[in-house]
């Protein structure tokens, strides 16, 4: 079937739901490259500049700037960011308004953050909040500490959305490009052992993935004109390669943009090519 419809994504989601913090504690999920003080300091400088630009452009207002982290996982990046941005919780209490919101789809992870003594001072300073948020479906955030609900149009300041090592785990389609023609990649999953009784961690470790392709791709493969134009642009400019269309991630951004009437700063760290020249 199409990659975006594969059971692979369901297995991956169930893995995180079952493992909780163990996914990071065991080292199975790489995270240091996106959860260290150096990258946190770079993000903190970027957010400070965004905050200054909003104030200078008159988009400030009394409401604090919200920084929303998707898939905060073990919480290490958030801790480093808060220390880099504010210095310490005492300074945070009197600093210009910013609220950092850690989110995840796994409820056990939220419980871990809310009870963690190293995060508690930031909560007490009014600079840290938590929300369960499913990037594949949700369009609002229920903040656990303040009790506020962030919905479409509720944010005066365009928020910052951070997604480190998150987008690659969300359903996406894949296309092969050759000679100005598009073919869609399909995927088949095979378990060389008996799947009966296997947990998702063991199953993911031994799955054999086979790719095929179907084509040509219809011009109306995506009803949304922006997605259709993006795919057609790839077809025109690239050759002899494959591309991913992160449709679920794009839908998530569409919904998050509505929180502040269509504007946000989105920052992501992940694995992949940065531009078309590098991919070519």
């Amino acid at each position: 079937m199409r990659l975006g419809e594969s059971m692979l994504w369901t297995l991956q989601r169930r893995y995180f739901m079952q493992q909780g913090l163990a996914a990071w504690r065991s080292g199975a999920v790489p995270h240091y490259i996106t959860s260290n003080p150096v990258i946190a300091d770079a993000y903190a400088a970027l957010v400070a500049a965004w905050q200054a630009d909003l104030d200078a452009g008159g988009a400030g207002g009394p409401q604090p700037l919200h920084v929303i982290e998707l898939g905060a996982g073990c919480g290490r990046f958030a801790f480093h960011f808060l220390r880099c941005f504010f210095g310490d919780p005492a300074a945070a209490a009197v600093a210009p308004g910013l609220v950092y919101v850690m989110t995840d789809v796994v409820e056990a992870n939220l419980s871990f953050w809310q009870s963690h003594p190293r995060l508690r001072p930031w909560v007490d300073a009014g600079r840290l909040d938590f929300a369960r948020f499913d990037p594949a479906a949700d369009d609002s955030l229920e903040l656990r500490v303040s009790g506020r609900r962030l919905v479409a149009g509720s944010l005066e300041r365009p928020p910052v959305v951070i997604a480190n090592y998150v987008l690659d785990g969300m359903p996406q389609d894949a296309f092969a490009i050759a000679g100005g023609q598009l073919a869609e990649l399909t995927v088949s999953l095979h378990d060389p052992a008996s799947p009966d009784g296997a947990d998702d961690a063991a199953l993911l470790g031994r799955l054999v993935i086979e790719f095929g392709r179907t084509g040509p791709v219809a011009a109306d493969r995506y009803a949304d004109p922006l997605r259709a134009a993006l795919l057609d642009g790839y077809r025109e400019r690239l050759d002899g390669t494959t591309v991913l269309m992160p449709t679920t991630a794009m839908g998530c951004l569409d919904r998050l943009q509505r929180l502040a009437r269509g504007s946000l700063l989105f920052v992501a760290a992940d694995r992949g090519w940065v531009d078309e020249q590098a991919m070519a």
Side-chain angles (χ1 to χ4, degrees):
M1 59 183 59
R2 290 169 172 167
L3 177 61
E5 300 168 351
S6 172
M7 183 184 179
L8 185 65
W9 310 108
T10 303
L11 291 172
Q12 189 166 247
R13 181 186 177 95
R14 290 203 318 235
Y15 167 80
F16 283 103
M17 299 293 282
Q18 293 168 0
Q19 294 292 307
L21 269 295
W24 287 270
R25 287 172 172 158
S26 66
V29 177
H31 63 280
Y32 180 77
I33 192 71
T34 54
S35 301
N36 63 72
V38 174
I39 193 171
D41 188 56
Y43 276 46
L46 185 64
V47 171
W50 176 253
Q51 190 176 39
D53 284 349
L54 292 177
D55 290 339
Q63 194 181 75
L65 173 66
H66 287 76
V67 178
I68 302 169
E69 183 185 359
L70 306 182
C74 62
R76 188 166 293 167
F77 174 84
F79 173 72
H80 287 311
F81 176 93
L82 290 166
R83 290 212 306 178
C84 290
F85 190 88
F86 290 113
D88 61 66
V94 296
L98 180 143
V99 174
Y100 196 99
V101 182
M102 299 171 66
T103 78
D104 206 295
V105 72
V106 181
E107 185 63 40
N109 293 352
L110 273 79
S111 298
F112 172 77
W113 307 332
Q114 289 178 266
S115 62
H116 202 294
R118 300 294 291 275
L119 294 176
R120 189 72 231 175
W122 303 104
V123 175
D124 294 340
R127 300 308 184 193
L128 180 61
D129 216 319
F130 313 98
R132 186 186 183 280
F133 182 78
D134 182 352
D138 292 342
D139 57 6
S140 63
L141 294 89
E142 302 276 354
L143 302 187
R144 299 282 175 92
V145 178
S146 69
R148 291 188 59 218
R149 184 166 181 256
L150 306 185
V151 297
S154 65
L155 295 183
E156 299 169 358
R157 294 176 173 231
V160 179
V161 176
I162 295 173
N164 289 340
Y165 237 158
V166 172
L167 303 187
D168 61 0
M170 298 166 65
Q172 47 201 297
D173 299 319
F175 299 89
I177 305 170
Q181 299 295 319
L182 279 171
E184 183 156 10
L185 298 187
T186 59
V187 64
S188 299
L189 306 180
H190 303 277
D191 182 5
S194 171
D196 297 335
D199 62 28
D200 291 333
L203 186 58
L204 282 169
R206 66 173 187 251
L207 276 180
V208 176
I209 304 176
E210 295 181 357
F211 283 95
R213 60 182 62 190
T214 61
V217 176
D220 61 351
R221 171 65 179 86
Y222 295 112
D224 176 67
L226 291 176
R227 287 160 176 73
L230 178 62
L231 184 59
D232 194 54
Y234 286 153
R235 179 190 61 77
E236 291 179 345
R237 296 189 302 273
L238 302 175
D239 191 32
T241 189
T242 59
V243 293
L244 291 168
M245 284 287 288
T247 51
T248 303
M250 294 166 76
C252 174
L253 288 180
D254 287 343
R255 285 177 270 112
L256 288 172
Q257 277 186 305
R258 299 185 193 120
L259 295 177
R261 305 174 185 89
S263 183
L264 56 77
L265 173 64
F266 179 68
V267 192
D270 215 315
R271 297 179 65 181
W273 301 116
V274 175
D275 52 44
E276 293 176 9
Q277 183 178 4
M279 189 165 77

